[in-house]
């Protein structure tokens, strides 16, 4: 577990231990790492992305590595390289568009040739939307468009989210990214504000259109859909952009915040439409069962491919989603509504 002591990392460590795994805690902050290891009776191995030898020592004898340390623009490459040297699977929870694009571009051929498994964005942003979109596609081999709309009750960002966002904005400059016509566009106009009709009882809500998240990277990697768009509820978009929005605070015994979410996926082909939704509590906390379920499936051989792969490509998407029943509420065949 690289980045074990971060906000999301702590949820992942707890989920791993609850499911019988033995987490090896890793990161660069010696004091925090050792305190966490003593508290939970786990092993700590200090490592830094600037020191490849320290990463090799951290990964020695482990079955796989999960990277929860952002900004992923800095950590993904070194940790992937260490995983390839160690011959073990790599999974991360990156939401950064550029980091995920880099992972697919840089490692697709190397990982495939080495029969290695690399699963980026195995988190709320990226993994969950990809699994829902793949499930909604069903037996379709192609579709005209996919829309993934997020309704968050609020979005209190972690320090890691703020740092990753700052790195992405620095790399992107004055542009925003949109995926249309089967290719990426760099745009300078403002993202549109629209109305999205979520399933009842939520109903119509204002959303920021083209609020491009990791799903827009992962979905086109394996599904033939030339138009992929993500949307964010307007209140949540304002929360995450505001400099003084506080970090999330624990509201239950598991450390989850009061934040609730609903992810609504619509896939259209010709005149037909298919829909799938998932709802739950705390986007950071729900990342833990997502990436832990992925890890278990990788280690037990319940995968469909090798190389760099999106969640819906490497796993049986409907089966995976149903395995998350304790953590999310699914409706994979809701009644048709218009967006």
């Amino acid at each position: 577990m690289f980045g074990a002591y971060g906000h999301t990392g702590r949820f992942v460590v707890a989920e791993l231990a609850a499911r019988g795994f033995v987490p090896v805690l890793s990161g660069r902050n010696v004091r925090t790492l050792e305190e966490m290891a003593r508290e939970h009776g786990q092993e700590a191995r200090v490592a830094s992305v600037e020191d490849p030898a320290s990463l090799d020592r951290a990964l020695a004898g482990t079955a796989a590595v999960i990277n929860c340390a952002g900004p992923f623009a800095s950590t993904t490459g070194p940790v992937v390289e260490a995983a390839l040297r160690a011959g073990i699977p790599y999974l991360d929870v990156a939401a950064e568009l550029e980091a995920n694009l880099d992972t697919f571009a840089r490692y697709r051929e190397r990982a495939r040739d080495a029969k290695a498994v690399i699963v980026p964005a195995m988190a709320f942003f990226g993994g969950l939307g990809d699994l829902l979109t793949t499930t909604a596609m069903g037996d379709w081999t192609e579709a005209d468009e996919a829309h993934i709309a997020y309704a968050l009750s609020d979005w209190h960002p972690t320090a890691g989210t703020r740092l990753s966002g700052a790195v992405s904005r620095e790399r992107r400059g004055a542009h925003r990214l949109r995926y249309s016509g089967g290719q990426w566009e760099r745009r300078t106009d403002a993202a549109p504000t629209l109305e999205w009709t979520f399933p009842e009882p939520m109903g119509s809500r204002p959303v920021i259109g083209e609020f491009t998240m990791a799903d827009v990277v992962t979905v086109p990697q394996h599904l033939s859909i030339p138009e992929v768009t993500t949307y964010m509820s307007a209140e949540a978009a304002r929360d995450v952009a505001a400099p003084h929005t506080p970090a999330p605070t624990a509201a239950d015994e598991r450390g989850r915040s009061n934040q609730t979410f609903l992810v609504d996926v619509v896939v259209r082909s010709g005149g037909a439409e298919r829909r799938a939704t998932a709802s739950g509590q705390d986007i950071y906390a729900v990342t833990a069962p997502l990436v832990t379920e992925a890890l278990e499936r990788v280690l037990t051989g319940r995968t469909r491919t090798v190389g760099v792969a999106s969640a819906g490509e490497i796993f049986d998407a409907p089966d995976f989603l149903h395995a998350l029943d304790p953590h999310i509420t699914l409706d994979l065949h809701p009644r048709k509504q218009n967006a």
Side-chain angles (χ1 to χ4, degrees):
M1 266 296 305
F2 188 70
Y5 46 74
H7 184 84
T8 301
R10 289 177 181 271
F11 282 118
V12 177
V13 169
E15 183 72 15
L16 287 167
R19 294 180 66 155
F21 291 98
V22 181
V24 175
L25 314 184
S26 188
R28 64 187 304 164
N29 189 314
V30 178
R31 181 176 177 181
T32 304
L33 195 64
E34 291 180 346
E35 287 177 353
M36 185 177 178
R38 283 195 300 271
E39 180 183 354
H40 298 286
Q42 294 161 342
E43 182 181 357
R45 299 181 184 178
V46 178
S48 166
V49 294
E50 290 83 16
D51 182 358
S54 72
L55 289 173
D56 290 343
R57 291 191 295 271
L59 270 57
T62 62
V65 59
I66 299 174
N67 182 10
C68 289
F72 291 91
S74 301
T75 66
T76 299
V79 182
V80 168
E81 292 287 351
L84 290 172
R85 290 193 297 272
I88 60 175
Y90 168 96
L91 303 91
D92 70 34
V93 298
E96 298 164 37
L97 298 182
E98 296 81 7
N100 287 311
L101 286 167
D102 287 349
T103 300
F104 281 101
R106 292 179 181 176
Y107 295 105
R108 184 188 301 277
E109 292 185 7
R110 276 184 62 191
R112 184 181 62 242
D113 292 347
K115 293 182 169 43
V117 171
I118 297 174
V119 188
M122 195 58 242
F124 176 80
F125 291 117
L128 182 55
D130 194 284
L131 290 164
L132 288 167
T133 305
T134 305
T135 300
M137 282 280 287
D139 59 356
W140 288 351
T141 58
E142 59 183 25
D144 299 324
E145 55 194 59
H147 303 271
I148 304 166
Y150 297 102
L152 310 186
S153 60
D154 55 62
W155 191 353
H156 290 196
T158 65
T161 294
R162 290 200 183 278
L163 181 57
S164 291
V167 170
S168 283
R169 288 191 296 273
E170 183 178 347
R171 292 185 66 179
R172 205 177 302 151
H175 298 87
R176 62 182 181 87
L177 294 177
R178 182 177 78 167
Y179 188 81
S180 180
Q183 60 186 6
W184 287 95
E185 297 178 355
R186 293 169 62 86
R187 300 181 64 92
T188 56
D189 58 334
T193 299
L194 310 165
E195 289 288 319
W196 183 273
T197 303
F198 290 94
E200 296 297 340
M202 184 167 289
S204 181
R205 298 291 179 94
V207 296
I208 305 301
E210 301 171 14
F211 194 93
T212 305
M213 301 303 293
D215 322 67
V216 186
V217 176
T218 63
V219 167
Q221 300 292 334
H222 68 108
L223 297 177
S224 181
I225 310 176
E227 304 285 335
V228 182
T229 309
T230 48
Y231 307 78
M232 179 61 64
S233 51
E235 297 103 329
R238 286 194 292 269
D239 280 347
V240 76
H244 302 300
T245 302
T249 56
D252 65 17
E253 70 284 354
R254 293 164 57 184
R256 298 181 301 175
S257 73
N258 282 326
Q259 178 198 52
T260 59
F261 64 81
L262 188 150
V263 186
D264 186 25
V265 172
V266 175
V267 180
R268 298 190 180 107
S269 181
E273 176 182 289
R274 291 176 173 177
R275 199 162 196 159
T277 68
S279 58
Q281 179 181 345
D282 194 328
I283 64 173
Y284 297 107
V286 81
T287 287
L290 276 160
V291 74
T292 305
E293 179 68 22
L295 173 69
E296 184 167 302
R297 287 172 182 249
V298 167
L299 294 180
T300 55
R302 287 179 289 164
T303 54
R304 294 179 162 183
T305 188
V306 295
V308 184
S310 304
E313 178 183 13
I314 193 169
F315 304 119
D316 180 328
D319 183 68
F320 192 113
L321 288 170
H322 285 300
L324 299 174
D325 280 346
H327 307 280
I328 61 174
T329 300
L330 294 170
D331 191 345
L332 301 183
H333 301 285
R335 66 185 179 85
K336 180 177 177 180
Q337 300 191 44
N338 294 321

